[in-house]
Amino acid sequence: MFAGASLDENSGAFCELKANFFRLILTKAEVRGLNFDHVDFENHTITVMQQAPYESFITIKTEHGVEKCLNEDCIKPPKSGSSYRTIKVPDIVVDELYRRREKNKQYFKTHPNAVSYWRNYICIGFGGELISSKTVTEGLYKICKKNGLPKISAHGLRHLCATILLEQNVPLEEISHILGHASVSTTFDIYCGEIQGRDNILDFLSSNFDPITHLARKAG
């Protein structure tokens, strides 16, 4: 997932990265909008059907103070028609989804006061709420810091994924579908520079996202 990052399959870092696979190819809102009905465990696919661009609760002032209320309106349709898509995912992600589904079931079983409205969603946080966009970003930053990698945002990770796919000569049409762009021309406009400089992509990634090189540069 990161060029130059050597991860043992049993390491905590590897587990964290495979759990966050979706951040490579989906937007933060799409990640937060995923529920287990969108996962086909038999065929190893996920289908983007909706997004959650807003927080799963709102705060209102009452005569008793500030109260949190469920925000069902945080779930919206995908950004465009092309954003509805089905994506094949690797075995490690399917395995992680199995585990997460069981962990979520156990959480709601042991926390009867949790917000049950979101119980079928994948990204559940404290109190049964959907994890916030901020949590997605901070979680990614922690993974980068733990593994000696430069900080990268969830949006930047999508660009990194697309760049790696270009380096591997994946057709632009397929990349456009994976990212959910409205058209291939949109993908081309965004990554035109990377396409023209394809020979330099892997060298750039290796020099900037190799933990050893990055730490040595900081120390120097």
mmCIF file of all heavy atoms in Angstrom, residues 64-110:
data_model
loop_
_atom_site.group_PDB
_atom_site.id
_atom_site.type_symbol
_atom_site.label_atom_id
_atom_site.label_comp_id
_atom_site.label_asym_id
_atom_site.label_seq_id
_atom_site.Cartn_x
_atom_site.Cartn_y
_atom_site.Cartn_z
ATOM 1 N N HIS A 64 -32.974 22.311 29.116
ATOM 2 C CA HIS A 64 -32.185 21.482 30.033
ATOM 3 C C HIS A 64 -30.702 21.488 29.682
ATOM 4 O O HIS A 64 -29.909 20.801 30.325
ATOM 5 C CB HIS A 64 -32.702 20.038 29.999
ATOM 6 C CG HIS A 64 -34.162 19.910 30.324
ATOM 7 N ND1 HIS A 64 -34.679 20.194 31.566
ATOM 8 C CD2 HIS A 64 -35.201 19.549 29.539
ATOM 9 C CE1 HIS A 64 -35.991 20.000 31.550
ATOM 10 N NE2 HIS A 64 -36.338 19.617 30.325
ATOM 11 N N GLY A 65 -30.343 22.247 28.662
ATOM 12 C CA GLY A 65 -28.948 22.299 28.237
ATOM 13 C C GLY A 65 -28.777 21.854 26.795
ATOM 14 O O GLY A 65 -29.721 21.871 26.010
ATOM 15 N N VAL A 66 -27.576 21.406 26.461
ATOM 16 C CA VAL A 66 -27.271 20.951 25.101
ATOM 17 C C VAL A 66 -27.498 19.441 25.019
ATOM 18 O O VAL A 66 -26.997 18.692 25.853
ATOM 19 C CB VAL A 66 -25.824 21.287 24.705
ATOM 20 C CG1 VAL A 66 -25.509 20.751 23.313
ATOM 21 C CG2 VAL A 66 -25.598 22.804 24.753
ATOM 22 N N GLU A 67 -28.251 19.013 24.017
ATOM 23 C CA GLU A 67 -28.532 17.590 23.854
ATOM 24 C C GLU A 67 -28.107 17.118 22.467
ATOM 25 O O GLU A 67 -28.153 17.867 21.498
ATOM 26 C CB GLU A 67 -30.033 17.319 24.044
ATOM 27 C CG GLU A 67 -30.549 17.617 25.448
ATOM 28 C CD GLU A 67 -32.023 17.284 25.593
ATOM 29 O OE1 GLU A 67 -32.615 16.769 24.593
ATOM 30 O OE2 GLU A 67 -32.588 17.514 26.663
ATOM 31 N N LYS A 68 -27.681 15.859 22.419
ATOM 32 C CA LYS A 68 -27.329 15.237 21.143
ATOM 33 C C LYS A 68 -28.548 14.511 20.587
ATOM 34 O O LYS A 68 -29.237 13.806 21.308
ATOM 35 C CB LYS A 68 -26.188 14.238 21.330
ATOM 36 C CG LYS A 68 -24.827 14.870 21.518
ATOM 37 C CD LYS A 68 -23.751 13.824 21.786
ATOM 38 C CE LYS A 68 -23.629 12.811 20.695
ATOM 39 N NZ LYS A 68 -22.497 11.870 20.894
ATOM 40 N N CYS A 69 -28.785 14.694 19.301
ATOM 41 C CA CYS A 69 -29.913 14.037 18.653
ATOM 42 C C CYS A 69 -29.436 13.293 17.408
ATOM 43 O O CYS A 69 -28.483 13.715 16.740
ATOM 44 C CB CYS A 69 -30.981 15.057 18.250
ATOM 45 S SG CYS A 69 -31.719 15.943 19.629
ATOM 46 N N LEU A 70 -30.084 12.194 17.112
ATOM 47 C CA LEU A 70 -29.765 11.406 15.928
ATOM 48 C C LEU A 70 -29.971 12.233 14.661
ATOM 49 O O LEU A 70 -30.965 12.938 14.524
ATOM 50 C CB LEU A 70 -30.668 10.167 15.891
ATOM 51 C CG LEU A 70 -30.514 9.232 14.692
ATOM 52 C CD1 LEU A 70 -29.174 8.520 14.746
ATOM 53 C CD2 LEU A 70 -31.662 8.213 14.670
ATOM 54 N N ASN A 71 -29.014 12.139 13.760
ATOM 55 C CA ASN A 71 -29.103 12.871 12.489
ATOM 56 C C ASN A 71 -29.224 11.871 11.337
ATOM 57 O O ASN A 71 -28.233 11.526 10.684
ATOM 58 C CB ASN A 71 -27.883 13.764 12.294
ATOM 59 C CG ASN A 71 -27.942 14.558 10.993
ATOM 60 O OD1 ASN A 71 -29.028 14.762 10.437
ATOM 61 N ND2 ASN A 71 -26.796 15.000 10.507
ATOM 62 N N GLU A 72 -30.433 11.399 11.086
ATOM 63 C CA GLU A 72 -30.638 10.435 10.003
ATOM 64 C C GLU A 72 -30.322 11.046 8.641
ATOM 65 O O GLU A 72 -30.001 10.331 7.683
ATOM 66 C CB GLU A 72 -32.089 9.934 10.020
ATOM 67 C CG GLU A 72 -32.469 9.187 11.286
ATOM 68 C CD GLU A 72 -33.919 8.719 11.248
ATOM 69 O OE1 GLU A 72 -34.460 8.570 10.134
ATOM 70 O OE2 GLU A 72 -34.505 8.508 12.321
ATOM 71 N N ASP A 73 -30.412 12.370 8.548
ATOM 72 C CA ASP A 73 -30.179 13.047 7.275
ATOM 73 C C ASP A 73 -28.706 13.102 6.884
ATOM 74 O O ASP A 73 -28.362 13.657 5.836
ATOM 75 C CB ASP A 73 -30.735 14.474 7.320
ATOM 76 C CG ASP A 73 -32.255 14.492 7.335
ATOM 77 O OD1 ASP A 73 -32.855 13.504 6.877
ATOM 78 O OD2 ASP A 73 -32.831 15.482 7.808
ATOM 79 N N CYS A 74 -27.831 12.528 7.713
ATOM 80 C CA CYS A 74 -26.408 12.541 7.350
ATOM 81 C C CYS A 74 -26.116 11.566 6.213
ATOM 82 O O CYS A 74 -25.080 11.663 5.558
ATOM 83 C CB CYS A 74 -25.535 12.223 8.567
ATOM 84 S SG CYS A 74 -25.454 10.483 9.022
ATOM 85 N N ILE A 75 -27.025 10.632 5.972
ATOM 86 C CA ILE A 75 -26.859 9.683 4.871
ATOM 87 C C ILE A 75 -27.444 10.273 3.594
ATOM 88 O O ILE A 75 -28.614 10.654 3.551
ATOM 89 C CB ILE A 75 -27.531 8.333 5.185
ATOM 90 C CG1 ILE A 75 -26.917 7.713 6.450
ATOM 91 C CG2 ILE A 75 -27.417 7.382 4.009
ATOM 92 C CD1 ILE A 75 -25.439 7.369 6.304
ATOM 93 N N LYS A 76 -26.614 10.362 2.573
ATOM 94 C CA LYS A 76 -27.013 10.963 1.293
ATOM 95 C C LYS A 76 -26.676 10.018 0.138
ATOM 96 O O LYS A 76 -25.871 9.102 0.287
ATOM 97 C CB LYS A 76 -26.263 12.291 1.084
ATOM 98 C CG LYS A 76 -26.501 13.329 2.176
ATOM 99 C CD LYS A 76 -27.940 13.828 2.170
ATOM 100 C CE LYS A 76 -28.154 14.915 3.208
ATOM 101 N NZ LYS A 76 -29.565 15.363 3.252
ATOM 102 N N PRO A 77 -27.281 10.242 -1.029
ATOM 103 C CA PRO A 77 -26.893 9.462 -2.210
ATOM 104 C C PRO A 77 -25.444 9.769 -2.582
ATOM 105 O O PRO A 77 -24.900 10.809 -2.193
ATOM 106 C CB PRO A 77 -27.851 9.962 -3.304
ATOM 107 C CG PRO A 77 -28.971 10.613 -2.571
ATOM 108 C CD PRO A 77 -28.388 11.183 -1.319
ATOM 109 N N PRO A 78 -24.805 8.885 -3.344
ATOM 110 C CA PRO A 78 -23.444 9.183 -3.813
ATOM 111 C C PRO A 78 -23.396 10.482 -4.609
ATOM 112 O O PRO A 78 -24.427 10.991 -5.067
ATOM 113 C CB PRO A 78 -23.104 7.973 -4.689
ATOM 114 C CG PRO A 78 -23.948 6.873 -4.147
ATOM 115 C CD PRO A 78 -25.235 7.540 -3.743
ATOM 116 N N LYS A 79 -22.187 10.986 -4.787
ATOM 117 C CA LYS A 79 -21.999 12.292 -5.408
ATOM 118 C C LYS A 79 -22.546 12.357 -6.825
ATOM 119 O O LYS A 79 -23.087 13.379 -7.245
ATOM 120 C CB LYS A 79 -20.500 12.621 -5.410
ATOM 121 C CG LYS A 79 -20.168 14.041 -5.823
ATOM 122 C CD LYS A 79 -18.680 14.306 -5.662
ATOM 123 C CE LYS A 79 -18.330 15.735 -6.044
ATOM 124 N NZ LYS A 79 -16.863 15.995 -5.896
ATOM 125 N N SER A 80 -22.409 11.290 -7.581
ATOM 126 C CA SER A 80 -22.896 11.267 -8.958
ATOM 127 C C SER A 80 -23.332 9.855 -9.320
ATOM 128 O O SER A 80 -23.115 8.913 -8.546
ATOM 129 C CB SER A 80 -21.805 11.736 -9.930
ATOM 130 O OG SER A 80 -20.760 10.778 -9.993
ATOM 131 N N GLY A 81 -23.932 9.710 -10.500
ATOM 132 C CA GLY A 81 -24.354 8.392 -10.938
ATOM 133 C C GLY A 81 -23.193 7.419 -11.038
ATOM 134 O O GLY A 81 -23.338 6.228 -10.733
ATOM 135 N N SER A 82 -22.034 7.926 -11.444
ATOM 136 C CA SER A 82 -20.852 7.069 -11.568
ATOM 137 C C SER A 82 -20.289 6.643 -10.217
ATOM 138 O O SER A 82 -19.488 5.706 -10.132
ATOM 139 C CB SER A 82 -19.754 7.791 -12.361
ATOM 140 O OG SER A 82 -20.194 8.098 -13.660
ATOM 141 N N SER A 83 -20.701 7.346 -9.168
ATOM 142 C CA SER A 83 -20.219 6.992 -7.829
ATOM 143 C C SER A 83 -20.868 5.720 -7.303
ATOM 144 O O SER A 83 -20.362 5.102 -6.362
ATOM 145 C CB SER A 83 -20.472 8.153 -6.852
ATOM 146 O OG SER A 83 -19.763 9.303 -7.242
ATOM 147 N N TYR A 84 -22.013 5.334 -7.892
ATOM 148 C CA TYR A 84 -22.581 4.022 -7.589
ATOM 149 C C TYR A 84 -21.703 2.991 -8.293
ATOM 150 O O TYR A 84 -21.639 2.962 -9.526
ATOM 151 C CB TYR A 84 -24.016 3.908 -8.123
ATOM 152 C CG TYR A 84 -25.047 4.729 -7.410
ATOM 153 C CD1 TYR A 84 -25.349 6.021 -7.828
ATOM 154 C CD2 TYR A 84 -25.759 4.210 -6.331
ATOM 155 C CE1 TYR A 84 -26.318 6.786 -7.193
ATOM 156 C CE2 TYR A 84 -26.733 4.962 -5.682
ATOM 157 C CZ TYR A 84 -27.004 6.246 -6.123
ATOM 158 O OH TYR A 84 -27.965 6.995 -5.490
ATOM 159 N N ARG A 85 -21.024 2.143 -7.540
ATOM 160 C CA ARG A 85 -20.111 1.203 -8.187
ATOM 161 C C ARG A 85 -19.853 0.000 -7.281
ATOM 162 O O ARG A 85 -19.999 0.082 -6.054
ATOM 163 C CB ARG A 85 -18.783 1.887 -8.526
ATOM 164 C CG ARG A 85 -18.012 2.434 -7.317
ATOM 165 C CD ARG A 85 -17.035 3.505 -7.756
ATOM 166 N NE ARG A 85 -16.129 3.949 -6.709
ATOM 167 C CZ ARG A 85 -16.457 4.871 -5.801
ATOM 168 N NH1 ARG A 85 -17.663 5.429 -5.789
ATOM 169 N NH2 ARG A 85 -15.558 5.248 -4.896
ATOM 170 N N THR A 86 -19.484 -1.091 -7.899
ATOM 171 C CA THR A 86 -19.120 -2.307 -7.174
ATOM 172 C C THR A 86 -17.633 -2.558 -7.381
ATOM 173 O O THR A 86 -17.144 -2.512 -8.514
ATOM 174 C CB THR A 86 -19.940 -3.512 -7.668
ATOM 175 O OG1 THR A 86 -21.328 -3.269 -7.408
ATOM 176 C CG2 THR A 86 -19.511 -4.788 -6.958
ATOM 177 N N ILE A 87 -16.924 -2.789 -6.289
ATOM 178 C CA ILE A 87 -15.472 -2.916 -6.316
ATOM 179 C C ILE A 87 -15.056 -4.261 -5.727
ATOM 180 O O ILE A 87 -15.531 -4.658 -4.659
ATOM 181 C CB ILE A 87 -14.808 -1.777 -5.505
ATOM 182 C CG1 ILE A 87 -15.240 -0.419 -6.056
ATOM 183 C CG2 ILE A 87 -13.292 -1.911 -5.519
ATOM 184 C CD1 ILE A 87 -14.859 0.735 -5.165
ATOM 185 N N LYS A 88 -14.176 -4.941 -6.411
ATOM 186 C CA LYS A 88 -13.609 -6.185 -5.911
ATOM 187 C C LYS A 88 -12.579 -5.868 -4.834
ATOM 188 O O LYS A 88 -11.780 -4.944 -4.980
ATOM 189 C CB LYS A 88 -12.929 -6.941 -7.056
ATOM 190 C CG LYS A 88 -12.574 -8.378 -6.742
ATOM 191 C CD LYS A 88 -13.784 -9.276 -6.855
ATOM 192 C CE LYS A 88 -13.391 -10.751 -6.733
ATOM 193 N NZ LYS A 88 -14.572 -11.633 -6.787
ATOM 194 N N VAL A 89 -12.619 -6.614 -3.719
ATOM 195 C CA VAL A 89 -11.675 -6.366 -2.632
ATOM 196 C C VAL A 89 -10.913 -7.653 -2.322
ATOM 197 O O VAL A 89 -11.427 -8.755 -2.517
ATOM 198 C CB VAL A 89 -12.380 -5.847 -1.365
ATOM 199 C CG1 VAL A 89 -12.975 -4.477 -1.605
ATOM 200 C CG2 VAL A 89 -13.452 -6.814 -0.892
ATOM 201 N N PRO A 90 -9.676 -7.541 -1.824
ATOM 202 C CA PRO A 90 -8.853 -8.721 -1.553
ATOM 203 C C PRO A 90 -9.323 -9.487 -0.316
ATOM 204 O O PRO A 90 -10.090 -8.987 0.503
ATOM 205 C CB PRO A 90 -7.455 -8.138 -1.348
ATOM 206 C CG PRO A 90 -7.684 -6.725 -0.918
ATOM 207 C CD PRO A 90 -8.931 -6.285 -1.627
ATOM 208 N N ASP A 91 -8.802 -10.690 -0.180
ATOM 209 C CA ASP A 91 -9.205 -11.574 0.922
ATOM 210 C C ASP A 91 -8.971 -10.945 2.290
ATOM 211 O O ASP A 91 -9.783 -11.119 3.200
ATOM 212 C CB ASP A 91 -8.432 -12.900 0.841
ATOM 213 C CG ASP A 91 -8.824 -13.732 -0.364
ATOM 214 O OD1 ASP A 91 -9.850 -13.412 -0.993
ATOM 215 O OD2 ASP A 91 -8.099 -14.702 -0.681
ATOM 216 N N ILE A 92 -7.848 -10.230 2.442
ATOM 217 C CA ILE A 92 -7.539 -9.676 3.761
ATOM 218 C C ILE A 92 -8.590 -8.664 4.214
ATOM 219 O O ILE A 92 -8.868 -8.534 5.403
ATOM 220 C CB ILE A 92 -6.135 -9.024 3.802
ATOM 221 C CG1 ILE A 92 -5.997 -7.937 2.739
ATOM 222 C CG2 ILE A 92 -5.056 -10.067 3.661
ATOM 223 C CD1 ILE A 92 -4.708 -7.140 2.856
ATOM 224 N N VAL A 93 -9.182 -7.959 3.247
ATOM 225 C CA VAL A 93 -10.227 -6.994 3.585
ATOM 226 C C VAL A 93 -11.514 -7.717 3.963
ATOM 227 O O VAL A 93 -12.189 -7.352 4.921
ATOM 228 C CB VAL A 93 -10.473 -6.020 2.416
ATOM 229 C CG1 VAL A 93 -11.650 -5.108 2.721
ATOM 230 C CG2 VAL A 93 -9.224 -5.202 2.145
ATOM 231 N N VAL A 94 -11.852 -8.765 3.214
ATOM 232 C CA VAL A 94 -13.046 -9.557 3.536
ATOM 233 C C VAL A 94 -12.908 -10.170 4.921
ATOM 234 O O VAL A 94 -13.853 -10.153 5.725
ATOM 235 C CB VAL A 94 -13.273 -10.654 2.475
ATOM 236 C CG1 VAL A 94 -14.444 -11.550 2.870
ATOM 237 C CG2 VAL A 94 -13.535 -10.033 1.117
ATOM 238 N N ASP A 95 -11.727 -10.687 5.239
ATOM 239 C CA ASP A 95 -11.486 -11.265 6.569
ATOM 240 C C ASP A 95 -11.667 -10.218 7.656
ATOM 241 O O ASP A 95 -12.243 -10.486 8.713
ATOM 242 C CB ASP A 95 -10.070 -11.845 6.649
ATOM 243 C CG ASP A 95 -9.892 -13.078 5.768
ATOM 244 O OD1 ASP A 95 -10.913 -13.670 5.373
ATOM 245 O OD2 ASP A 95 -8.729 -13.430 5.473
ATOM 246 N N GLU A 96 -11.163 -9.013 7.379
ATOM 247 C CA GLU A 96 -11.294 -7.930 8.357
ATOM 248 C C GLU A 96 -12.756 -7.536 8.537
ATOM 249 O O GLU A 96 -13.200 -7.245 9.651
ATOM 250 C CB GLU A 96 -10.464 -6.724 7.908
ATOM 251 C CG GLU A 96 -10.485 -5.555 8.883
ATOM 252 C CD GLU A 96 -9.875 -5.906 10.230
ATOM 253 O OE1 GLU A 96 -8.941 -6.735 10.262
ATOM 254 O OE2 GLU A 96 -10.355 -5.364 11.245
ATOM 255 N N LEU A 97 -13.523 -7.542 7.460
ATOM 256 C CA LEU A 97 -14.944 -7.209 7.553
ATOM 257 C C LEU A 97 -15.714 -8.251 8.354
ATOM 258 O O LEU A 97 -16.616 -7.906 9.118
ATOM 259 C CB LEU A 97 -15.536 -7.066 6.146
ATOM 260 C CG LEU A 97 -15.122 -5.811 5.382
ATOM 261 C CD1 LEU A 97 -15.565 -5.892 3.929
ATOM 262 C CD2 LEU A 97 -15.698 -4.563 6.038
ATOM 263 N N TYR A 98 -15.350 -9.516 8.186
ATOM 264 C CA TYR A 98 -15.943 -10.564 9.016
ATOM 265 C C TYR A 98 -15.702 -10.271 10.490
ATOM 266 O O TYR A 98 -16.631 -10.312 11.325
ATOM 267 C CB TYR A 98 -15.335 -11.932 8.679
ATOM 268 C CG TYR A 98 -16.036 -12.706 7.599
ATOM 269 C CD1 TYR A 98 -15.368 -13.059 6.423
ATOM 270 C CD2 TYR A 98 -17.362 -13.113 7.744
ATOM 271 C CE1 TYR A 98 -16.000 -13.779 5.423
ATOM 272 C CE2 TYR A 98 -18.001 -13.838 6.748
ATOM 273 C CZ TYR A 98 -17.322 -14.173 5.595
ATOM 274 O OH TYR A 98 -17.951 -14.887 4.605
ATOM 275 N N ARG A 99 -14.446 -9.972 10.825
ATOM 276 C CA ARG A 99 -14.096 -9.713 12.223
ATOM 277 C C ARG A 99 -14.796 -8.466 12.743
ATOM 278 O O ARG A 99 -15.273 -8.429 13.878
ATOM 279 C CB ARG A 99 -12.572 -9.566 12.365
ATOM 280 C CG ARG A 99 -11.822 -10.873 12.353
ATOM 281 C CD ARG A 99 -10.375 -10.696 12.758
ATOM 282 N NE ARG A 99 -9.608 -10.048 11.709
ATOM 283 C CZ ARG A 99 -8.983 -10.709 10.739
ATOM 284 N NH1 ARG A 99 -9.057 -12.018 10.678
ATOM 285 N NH2 ARG A 99 -8.294 -10.063 9.825
ATOM 286 N N ARG A 100 -14.836 -7.436 11.899
ATOM 287 C CA ARG A 100 -15.461 -6.186 12.343
ATOM 288 C C ARG A 100 -16.959 -6.369 12.565
ATOM 289 O O ARG A 100 -17.530 -5.802 13.499
ATOM 290 C CB ARG A 100 -15.200 -5.079 11.317
ATOM 291 C CG ARG A 100 -15.739 -3.738 11.750
ATOM 292 C CD ARG A 100 -15.094 -2.598 11.034
ATOM 293 N NE ARG A 100 -13.687 -2.487 11.331
ATOM 294 C CZ ARG A 100 -12.955 -1.414 11.069
ATOM 295 N NH1 ARG A 100 -13.510 -0.371 10.505
ATOM 296 N NH2 ARG A 100 -11.677 -1.386 11.355
ATOM 297 N N ARG A 101 -17.599 -7.162 11.735
ATOM 298 C CA ARG A 101 -19.025 -7.419 11.911
ATOM 299 C C ARG A 101 -19.293 -8.102 13.255
ATOM 300 O O ARG A 101 -20.226 -7.711 13.983
ATOM 301 C CB ARG A 101 -19.556 -8.298 10.776
ATOM 302 C CG ARG A 101 -21.058 -8.554 10.847
ATOM 303 C CD ARG A 101 -21.574 -9.256 9.617
ATOM 304 N NE ARG A 101 -20.984 -10.585 9.453
ATOM 305 C CZ ARG A 101 -21.319 -11.423 8.491
ATOM 306 N NH1 ARG A 101 -22.212 -11.062 7.576
ATOM 307 N NH2 ARG A 101 -20.751 -12.615 8.401
ATOM 308 N N GLU A 102 -18.431 -9.049 13.611
ATOM 309 C CA GLU A 102 -18.603 -9.734 14.887
ATOM 310 C C GLU A 102 -18.302 -8.803 16.059
ATOM 311 O O GLU A 102 -18.983 -8.843 17.092
ATOM 312 C CB GLU A 102 -17.708 -10.979 14.943
ATOM 313 C CG GLU A 102 -18.090 -12.057 13.945
ATOM 314 C CD GLU A 102 -19.564 -12.432 14.039
ATOM 315 O OE1 GLU A 102 -20.025 -12.720 15.158
ATOM 316 O OE2 GLU A 102 -20.250 -12.410 12.996
ATOM 317 N N LYS A 103 -17.279 -7.970 15.901
ATOM 318 C CA LYS A 103 -16.941 -7.008 16.960
ATOM 319 C C LYS A 103 -18.071 -6.010 17.163
ATOM 320 O O LYS A 103 -18.400 -5.653 18.299
ATOM 321 C CB LYS A 103 -15.638 -6.276 16.608
ATOM 322 C CG LYS A 103 -14.387 -7.118 16.767
ATOM 323 C CD LYS A 103 -13.138 -6.355 16.370
ATOM 324 C CE LYS A 103 -12.879 -5.208 17.329
ATOM 325 N NZ LYS A 103 -11.587 -4.519 17.012
ATOM 326 N N ASN A 104 -18.660 -5.548 16.060
ATOM 327 C CA ASN A 104 -19.774 -4.600 16.170
ATOM 328 C C ASN A 104 -20.978 -5.244 16.852
ATOM 329 O O ASN A 104 -21.630 -4.614 17.699
ATOM 330 C CB ASN A 104 -20.173 -4.086 14.789
ATOM 331 C CG ASN A 104 -19.169 -3.094 14.226
ATOM 332 O OD1 ASN A 104 -18.143 -2.828 14.827
ATOM 333 N ND2 ASN A 104 -19.456 -2.572 13.039
ATOM 334 N N LYS A 105 -21.277 -6.499 16.502
ATOM 335 C CA LYS A 105 -22.385 -7.214 17.146
ATOM 336 C C LYS A 105 -22.143 -7.326 18.645
ATOM 337 O O LYS A 105 -23.053 -7.107 19.456
ATOM 338 C CB LYS A 105 -22.536 -8.616 16.547
ATOM 339 C CG LYS A 105 -23.139 -8.660 15.165
ATOM 340 C CD LYS A 105 -23.252 -10.105 14.683
ATOM 341 C CE LYS A 105 -23.860 -10.193 13.298
ATOM 342 N NZ LYS A 105 -23.916 -11.601 12.811
ATOM 343 N N GLN A 106 -20.911 -7.663 19.009
ATOM 344 C CA GLN A 106 -20.570 -7.794 20.425
ATOM 345 C C GLN A 106 -20.674 -6.462 21.144
ATOM 346 O O GLN A 106 -21.125 -6.398 22.292
ATOM 347 C CB GLN A 106 -19.155 -8.369 20.557
ATOM 348 C CG GLN A 106 -18.710 -8.672 21.989
ATOM 349 C CD GLN A 106 -19.566 -9.725 22.654
ATOM 350 O OE1 GLN A 106 -20.198 -10.544 21.985
ATOM 351 N NE2 GLN A 106 -19.610 -9.721 23.969
ATOM 352 N N TYR A 107 -20.263 -5.386 20.462
ATOM 353 C CA TYR A 107 -20.322 -4.057 21.083
ATOM 354 C C TYR A 107 -21.762 -3.685 21.425
ATOM 355 O O TYR A 107 -22.054 -3.249 22.543
ATOM 356 C CB TYR A 107 -19.722 -3.005 20.152
ATOM 357 C CG TYR A 107 -19.792 -1.606 20.733
ATOM 358 C CD1 TYR A 107 -18.819 -1.158 21.614
ATOM 359 C CD2 TYR A 107 -20.862 -0.755 20.439
ATOM 360 C CE1 TYR A 107 -18.887 0.110 22.178
ATOM 361 C CE2 TYR A 107 -20.939 0.507 20.992
ATOM 362 C CZ TYR A 107 -19.957 0.933 21.862
ATOM 363 O OH TYR A 107 -20.043 2.174 22.428
ATOM 364 N N PHE A 108 -22.664 -3.851 20.481
ATOM 365 C CA PHE A 108 -24.062 -3.475 20.724
ATOM 366 C C PHE A 108 -24.726 -4.415 21.742
ATOM 367 O O PHE A 108 -25.632 -3.997 22.460
ATOM 368 C CB PHE A 108 -24.845 -3.460 19.418
ATOM 369 C CG PHE A 108 -24.569 -2.250 18.567
ATOM 370 C CD1 PHE A 108 -23.738 -2.323 17.465
ATOM 371 C CD2 PHE A 108 -25.132 -1.020 18.900
ATOM 372 C CE1 PHE A 108 -23.475 -1.194 16.692
ATOM 373 C CE2 PHE A 108 -24.879 0.115 18.140
ATOM 374 C CZ PHE A 108 -24.051 0.017 17.029
ATOM 375 N N LYS A 109 -24.223 -5.637 21.800
ATOM 376 C CA LYS A 109 -24.760 -6.584 22.782
ATOM 377 C C LYS A 109 -24.366 -6.188 24.199
ATOM 378 O O LYS A 109 -25.150 -6.316 25.144
ATOM 379 C CB LYS A 109 -24.244 -7.987 22.465
ATOM 380 C CG LYS A 109 -24.794 -9.077 23.376
ATOM 381 C CD LYS A 109 -24.270 -10.444 22.953
ATOM 382 C CE LYS A 109 -24.811 -11.537 23.873
ATOM 383 N NZ LYS A 109 -24.303 -12.887 23.458
ATOM 384 N N THR A 110 -23.146 -5.690 24.352
ATOM 385 C CA THR A 110 -22.637 -5.314 25.675
ATOM 386 C C THR A 110 -22.883 -3.852 26.020
ATOM 387 O O THR A 110 -22.578 -3.418 27.128
ATOM 388 C CB THR A 110 -21.130 -5.611 25.767
ATOM 389 O OG1 THR A 110 -20.438 -4.922 24.717
ATOM 390 C CG2 THR A 110 -20.881 -7.123 25.639
#
